[in-house]
Amino acid sequence: MQQVRVIPCLDVAGGRVVKGVSFVELRDAGDPVALGEVYSEAGADELIFLDIGATNSGREPLVDLAARVAQGVLIPFTVGGGIDSLETASRLLRVGADKVSVNSAAVRNPELIRAISDVYGNQCVVVAIDVRRRGASYEVVTHGGRRPTGIELVRWVDRVQAEGAGELLVTSMDQDGGLGGYDADLYTEVLARTDIPVIASGGVGKLEDFLIGARLGVQGLLAASVFHFGTLTIREVKNYLAHHDIAVRQEEDEIDV
Amino acid sequence: MLPERRPPAQSQRTGEPCDAGSMSADPGLGEVAIVDYGIGNLGSLANALERLEYRPVLVDEPQRLVDFDRVILPGVGHFGACALRVRQTGFEPALVERVQEGRWLLGICVGMQLLFEGSDESEIPGLSLLSGKVERMSKVVRLPEMQWNRLVFDGARHPVFARSSGDVWVYFVHSYAVRESQHAIAWEDYGLRYVAAVAKGPLLGVQFHPEKSGKSGLRVLAGALNLEGEGV
């Protein structure tokens, strides 16, 4: 049975979880170690940690911080942000990451995907793709949405899958942080183009948005602001999805009786 | 953080102990060897063992395995790479001997697959401790399977799963799986039905990742570690 994962995302800058609107206006949402533990206990199906300062300032990802977050979670843990070499990926996978997410560096050097995949397997490599709508299609953008690449989404999807991507994390930069719901056209296009798992990201604001996303057929539903600021709990989202016949994991002690 | 290789007494406890005291097995739980053959994220497994109040010890010298009553063979990624590494590092005879002597061994993910004769993924044979072959999963659904799934049991639950009475959701990451085994004790349904766990006496294998499966996973791990083997 296929089910959909509910995935809180920790966007980290300066050692704190932040979440802005379209990646620019950053608000402080808390301590990543504490939040990671809370989400792991609260029934999150996976945790994604993105060091959003890494690419822009040229720093390595916060390996030590990622390691501390990893120790507190008993669920799959993905780390991304500024990963530009096999060596950095290896360090993160050694300190407790299950998967690494590559983005800007993969656009510069697509062979990076192959390099990591060959050593650790494609299930370890998530390719994060940020896009903006351009008329009837989508353009890949990098550096937190600030740098256009001229690459059309569908061509990039073909390329990264050929290079050994195991999963795609696709974020609509038009929707991100805007709470207007996932971009349905975007995920319909990506799902038709690839047969590896796809995580939808960007714009979820209310329960119905999760349901619409799940019905598109994506394998993961990523959200940040609604969880960090307590608008919705993981349990509320899962109960709502289950109530609408979407297969989600619910542990015995998570099921409301 | 990875635990100290030696002495294990210096292995640091990390995180909070698991709040469900009933999950941990016996008082004064011992050391568990994790076969360190250069594959995979061993930190998560060490972390889960510490929550169950075991002391994980990474062992990279095959001759030392004999000192441990409980040995875990991890594995992620490519079957061929794992099968090659387990031989290059000299662990094959120590593992085979251990099983022949009826001692406790748990394979996780590709570690479980290695217990079988081989895999569609590679020409390199497995350890042939269990009969059967690992096959490419059906593409009627998206691969890799990278999700939680509910275990399916036929009849009474094996003691490994006795600590859970309701649904057991665990995390799977794989594109290859075993279809049939006379030693299967749990299955999953992902397009087709696949073997999720095997037991042949104290030789155990799980296709999923108990160390990544929240409290359900800890219960399974505790159930497995509590099984009797020769010398346990």
Side-chain angles (χ1 to χ4, degrees):
Chain A
M1 160 194 39
Q2 290 197 79
Q3 54 99 236
V4 68
R5 284 167 282 153
V6 175
I7 307 172
C9 181
L10 307 179
D11 294 293
V12 176
R16 301 285 289 177
V17 176
V18 294
K19 185 62 200 182
V21 176
S22 293
F23 285 16
V24 183
E25 289 173 59
L26 302 177
R27 290 169 65 188
D28 191 340
D31 170 35
V33 179
L35 267 174
E37 275 189 44
V38 165
Y39 289 135
S40 176
E41 290 289 313
D45 296 315
E46 180 170 337
L47 184 70
I48 297 186
F49 174 113
L50 295 177
D51 180 10
I52 61 172
T55 297
N56 292 327
S57 59
R59 287 179 298 115
E60 279 206 351
L62 308 173
V63 175
D64 293 342
L65 183 57
R68 284 168 48 221
V69 175
Q71 279 181 25
V73 304
L74 282 169
I75 54 175
F77 181 47
T78 302
V79 181
I83 297 172
D84 57 3
S85 67
L86 173 60
E87 191 202 351
T88 305
S90 299
R91 285 177 65 196
L92 288 164
L93 293 167
R94 268 204 302 274
V95 301
D98 300 289
K99 303 186 248 183
V100 290
S101 168
V102 294
N103 188 340
S104 302
V107 173
R108 272 198 312 277
N109 170 27
E111 289 77 21
L112 175 64
I113 299 165
R114 168 64 53 204
I116 302 170
S117 182
D118 276 352
V119 176
Y120 295 100
N122 72 340
Q123 82 291 336
C124 271
V125 189
V126 181
V127 176
I129 305 176
D130 298 340
V131 299
R132 284 192 189 280
R133 196 184 274 269
R134 294 280 184 258
S137 63
Y138 294 89
E139 180 188 4
V140 177
V141 295
T142 61
H143 295 76
R146 289 199 299 277
R147 194 174 295 181
T149 64
I151 302 171
E152 197 188 342
L153 171 65
V154 288
R155 285 198 299 119
W156 185 233
V157 167
D158 292 347
R159 176 72 194 269
V160 303
Q161 185 169 355
E163 290 287 345
E167 186 165 60
L168 304 179
L169 164 56
V170 183
T171 302
S172 162
M173 300 306 295
D174 303 310
Q175 303 291 104
D176 192 64
L179 309 184
Y182 296 117
D183 181 338
D185 294 343
L186 172 61
Y187 298 104
T188 302
E189 187 166 311
V190 174
L191 287 164
R193 195 74 181 189
T194 182
D195 54 12
I196 58 177
V198 174
I199 299 172
S201 157
V204 68
K206 53 190 187 301
L207 286 171
E208 293 76 12
D209 296 335
F210 285 96
L211 180 61
I212 291 165
R215 285 183 173 158
L216 291 171
V218 295
Q219 284 66 50
L221 298 167
L222 181 145
S225 310
V226 289
F227 294 138
H228 301 334
F229 295 117
T231 318
L232 296 173
T233 66
I234 307 270
R235 183 186 295 213
E236 282 171 332
V237 171
K238 289 194 167 182
N239 285 346
Y240 181 82
L241 291 173
H243 181 72
H244 288 85
D245 297 322
I246 302 293
V248 288
R249 158 203 172 225
Q250 290 186 296
E251 290 195 355
E252 295 158 68
D253 51 358
E254 290 173 353
I255 296 169
D256 282 338
V257 182
Chain B
M1 292 286 101
L2 297 183
E4 303 281 333
R5 280 165 200 267
R6 268 285 154 169
Q10 289 175 8
S11 170
Q12 292 195 333
R13 281 202 50 86
T14 54
E16 291 298 307
C18 187
D19 60 355
S22 60
M23 272 186 208
S24 50
D26 305 317
L29 301 171
E31 296 179 341
V32 178
I34 301 174
V35 179
D36 181 7
Y37 62 116
I39 297 283
N41 163 15
L42 307 180
S44 303
L45 181 55
N47 188 20
L49 288 167
E50 285 176 344
R51 291 202 190 208
L52 293 172
E53 303 187 344
Y54 285 89
R55 277 204 307 279
V57 182
L58 302 188
V59 174
D60 58 5
E61 297 165 21
Q63 67 274 17
R64 288 188 46 219
L65 281 192
V66 71
D67 298 336
F68 294 87
D69 288 329
R70 296 177 180 85
V71 173
I72 296 180
L73 177 63
V76 295
H78 196 271
F79 181 95
C82 291
L84 196 62
R85 284 294 295 167
V86 85
R87 291 193 169 87
Q88 283 174 341
T89 50
F91 274 104
E92 183 178 23
L95 292 166
V96 170
E97 201 170 298
R98 177 174 192 91
V99 172
Q100 285 169 349
E101 290 170 358
R103 299 192 71 191
W104 194 98
L105 178 69
L106 168 66
I108 295 179
C109 193
V110 179
M112 163 184 148
Q113 296 181 358
L114 287 174
L115 305 178
F116 289 86
E117 294 165 44
S119 169
D120 284 349
E121 196 175 11
S122 170
E123 297 293 309
I124 302 172
L127 299 173
S128 297
L129 297 166
L130 295 172
S131 58
K133 196 161 184 243
V134 184
E135 297 175 38
R136 176 82 182 169
M137 294 165 74
S138 164
K139 294 201 75 170
V140 294
V141 282
R142 273 172 204 263
L143 297 180
E145 180 187 15
M146 196 145 28
Q147 63 160 29
W148 298 70
N149 211 336
R150 186 170 24 203
L151 294 180
V152 176
F153 302 105
D154 279 356
R157 290 188 187 194
H158 187 275
V160 166
F161 301 106
R163 285 161 194 252
S164 310
S165 53
D167 285 347
V168 180
W169 285 87
V170 286
Y171 186 71
F172 289 85
V173 182
H174 61 144
S175 301
Y176 296 81
V178 175
R179 291 292 311 280
E180 296 291 342
S181 169
Q182 63 180 112
H183 302 293
I185 56 170
W187 288 263
E188 64 156 337
D189 172 7
Y190 190 68
L192 299 175
R193 190 167 120 133
Y194 300 102
V195 174
V198 289
K200 183 183 180 185
L203 173 60
L204 306 169
V206 291
Q207 176 62 64
F208 54 88
H209 286 274
E211 76 280 16
K212 286 279 137 191
S213 299
K215 288 180 187 165
S216 293
L218 288 185
R219 287 190 195 101
V220 172
L221 201 52
L225 287 162
N226 211 32
L227 269 194
E228 295 296 315
E230 206 53 47
V232 171

